[in-house]
Amino acid sequence: ILRETLTKRGVRVITGLGKYFRQVDKNRNGFLSKTTFKEALKVFHLEVPKEDFKSLWLVLDDSNSDKVDYGEFIRAIFGEMNEYRKAFVRKAYMKLDFNKTGSVPMVDIRKCYCAK
């Protein structure tokens, strides 16, 4: 049910959820508690019946840690990237990683990106 709702409402809801998750992730570990996750769904008017939420949580929290990784949530909704998209992301990353260090500092991103 949630997947259908999210795919109907589109990218704006997903990006909004991402922004919301980053704001409520106070310790910046990328994980959300069950309570925080429920609250996020309410904020974005994503109504999930109680029984469906239990099932959803079992799928998302497969490690039984009582928290969910935002990246895993996105993959559960949209699935893995296809090979075309993966190749595109790799190509963009290679352009940003000027020094071929395997990481991209914000300074290098600023050299390539203009928000205008």
Side-chain angles (χ1 to χ4, degrees), residues 21 29-34 36-37 56-57 59-63 65-74 76:
F21 286 162
N29 65 2
F31 290 96
L32 301 167
S33 69
K34 186 186 288 188
T36 305
F37 186 70
L56 173 65
W57 188 257
V59 170
L60 293 175
D61 184 24
D62 60 351
S63 62
S65 61
D66 205 32
K67 57 188 175 184
V68 67
D69 177 342
Y70 178 67
E72 289 178 18
F73 167 70
I74 291 299

Side-chain angles (χ1 to χ4, degrees), residues 6 9-19 44:
L6 285 173
R9 292 190 36 205
V11 174
R12 212 176 296 157
V13 172
I14 294 297
T15 55
L17 271 172
K19 185 176 181 181
F44 284 85

Side-chain angles (χ1 to χ4, degrees), residues 39-77:
E39 186 61 33
L41 295 178
K42 284 181 187 174
V43 167
F44 284 85
H45 308 289
L46 298 167
E47 303 300 326
V48 179
K50 193 173 187 173
E51 286 305 311
D52 290 341
F53 183 84
K54 285 181 185 178
S55 298
L56 173 65
W57 188 257
L58 287 173
V59 170
L60 293 175
D61 184 24
D62 60 351
S63 62
N64 211 15
S65 61
D66 205 32
K67 57 188 175 184
V68 67
D69 177 342
Y70 178 67
E72 289 178 18
F73 167 70
I74 291 299
R75 281 188 292 284
I77 298 299

